[in-house]
Amino acid sequence: MARSRKDGPRRKDGVWDPLKDNVADRQAAAGLPKTPQTESPSYRLAYVDEDFLCREELRPVRLQLELLKVEMALAERGIRSTVVLFGGARIPAPGQSAWAARNETQRKSLEAASVYYEEAQKFAALCGKYSAIYNHQEYVVVTGGGPGVMEAGNRGATEAGAPSIGLNIMLPHEQAPNRFVTPELSFNFHYFAIRKMHFMMRAKAVVVFPGGFGTLDEMFEALTLIQTRRMERVPLILFSESFWRGIINFEALAEFGTIAPDDVNLISFVETADQAWKIIADFYEH
């Protein structure tokens, strides 16, 4: 609570607020005398009681908190639009070993795929350079915050002097945020659903590199939202046509009738960062 001697109690946003500040009460509660009553869990202020907040009945509140925390942080930063970058956590940087390989075939494939790390890095740098025109409030790169292609995206933006967002999630592996995410824009999630919402809420383009189940899940989520018109059409760009056509037969879905023939046209295939940026630039007529 910011208090002016001349004008009394005002919040940081300038709104008059004569009520006692919750932060002050939290601090006061921490300094109460230690008695059986004050040390009982029932006496904790509800909003600082972690055990209470983690109860099963509080799931709706936790969902709302994960939605609000990131939304408020991005709004305060003035970020108006993003470019979403999905891709495999297991793809190494050029010259590095494939740490996730379980056999020689996987090792060769993953190390050859390091070209996509390089292209993701270049593409994110292009986004970062263009974002600078808008004071880094438009076309801000957002990744899942982890290693592999995600690291390459945050790295490319950082090397271009641009901030970038990392939307991490609690998993049993691969989940320390990479060192290139802007610290103030590094977020952690428990709920996949809320994380997915944040990927899409400001997206002006969705760019997908080769990856595994997580990448496929994220790609089809975005594609379904566009196909069903639950979100505006934005460029949905897949790097490496041979990879994607090798694992998904999009035309077969259209031929069978489970998607419309025109749905195939929602996807663009590219091989290089320059090709991907040109699609975005042409779409928005830059």
Side-chain angles (χ1 to χ4, degrees):
M1 175 84 65
R3 292 183 179 272
S4 167
R5 292 182 180 178
K6 295 182 179 180
D7 200 25
R10 288 189 182 274
R11 300 196 316 234
K12 291 180 180 180
D13 58 6
V15 173
W16 177 267
D17 187 356
L19 297 176
K20 186 70 176 290
D21 182 31
N22 74 87
V23 175
D25 268 356
R26 182 184 65 186
Q27 294 169 344
L32 288 172
K34 304 298 183 185
T35 71
Q37 289 76 26
T38 63
E39 292 191 318
S40 170
S42 65
Y43 197 74
R44 297 171 190 158
L45 290 167
Y47 57 88
V48 295
D49 187 343
E50 293 183 1
D51 293 333
F52 173 69
L53 290 175
C54 289
R55 287 182 57 149
E56 185 68 24
E57 298 91 334
L58 271 289
R59 178 179 289 169
V61 174
R62 293 193 299 274
L63 286 162
Q64 185 178 23
L65 289 174
E66 287 205 344
L67 182 64
L68 275 172
K69 182 176 180 178
V70 180
E71 174 62 25
M72 291 169 66
L74 298 187
E76 287 169 1
R77 186 90 176 207
I79 293 174
R80 298 192 293 265
S81 71
T82 59
V83 175
V84 181
L85 195 155
F86 294 135
R90 305 183 185 202
I91 293 176
Q96 293 186 358
S97 61
W99 57 270
R102 298 296 184 267
N103 54 54
E104 186 62 17
T105 299
Q106 286 194 351
R107 185 188 68 78
K108 289 181 179 179
S109 295
L110 288 171
E111 290 181 3
S114 65
V115 64
Y116 302 122
Y117 183 108
E118 195 170 15
E119 290 302 322
Q121 189 175 347
K122 291 177 181 177
F123 173 74
L126 289 172
C127 294
K129 290 175 182 177
Y130 195 82
S131 179
I133 299 171
Y134 297 94
N135 196 31
H136 299 302
Q137 294 179 322
E138 303 277 359
Y139 299 97
V140 179
V141 170
V142 54
T143 80
V149 167
M150 294 174 281
E151 176 187 285
N154 296 117
R155 182 176 183 176
T158 297
E159 290 172 348
S164 65
I165 303 164
L167 304 181
N168 219 274
I169 190 159
M170 296 296 297
L171 292 178
H173 55 83
E174 300 175 358
Q175 275 318 111
N178 71 70
R179 63 189 177 92
F180 299 103
V181 179
T182 300
E184 298 79 16
L185 298 174
S186 182
F187 303 100
N188 198 14
F189 289 84
H190 173 73
Y191 297 106
F192 266 103
I194 302 301
R195 179 175 179 255
K196 287 180 178 180
M197 283 189 67
H198 281 299
F199 274 126
M200 296 294 105
M201 283 170 66
R202 287 173 168 79
K204 291 194 83 170
V206 178
V207 181
V208 192
F209 290 80
F213 288 162
T215 302
L216 289 167
D217 176 48
E218 291 159 344
M219 180 195 75
F220 278 114
E221 181 89 23
L223 191 55
T224 301
L225 287 171
I226 295 170
Q227 180 213 35
T228 57
R229 299 183 183 179
R230 295 298 298 171
M231 69 179 285
E232 292 289 330
R233 182 172 181 178
V234 301
L236 196 149
I237 302 166
L238 306 187
F239 268 77
S240 181
E241 185 168 2
S242 62
F243 172 83
W244 290 108
R245 291 198 182 280
I247 62 170
I248 304 168
N249 191 334
F250 297 101
E251 282 72 20
L253 293 173
E255 290 172 6
F256 194 85
T258 50
I259 65 173
D262 289 344
D263 287 341
V264 177
N265 299 326
L266 298 175
I267 301 167
S268 299
F269 294 99
V270 300
E271 305 299 327
T272 69
D274 288 332
Q275 291 171 348
W277 181 252
K278 186 177 187 305
I279 289 172
I280 296 171
D282 289 347
F283 188 89
Y284 293 106
E285 297 183 349
H286 293 313

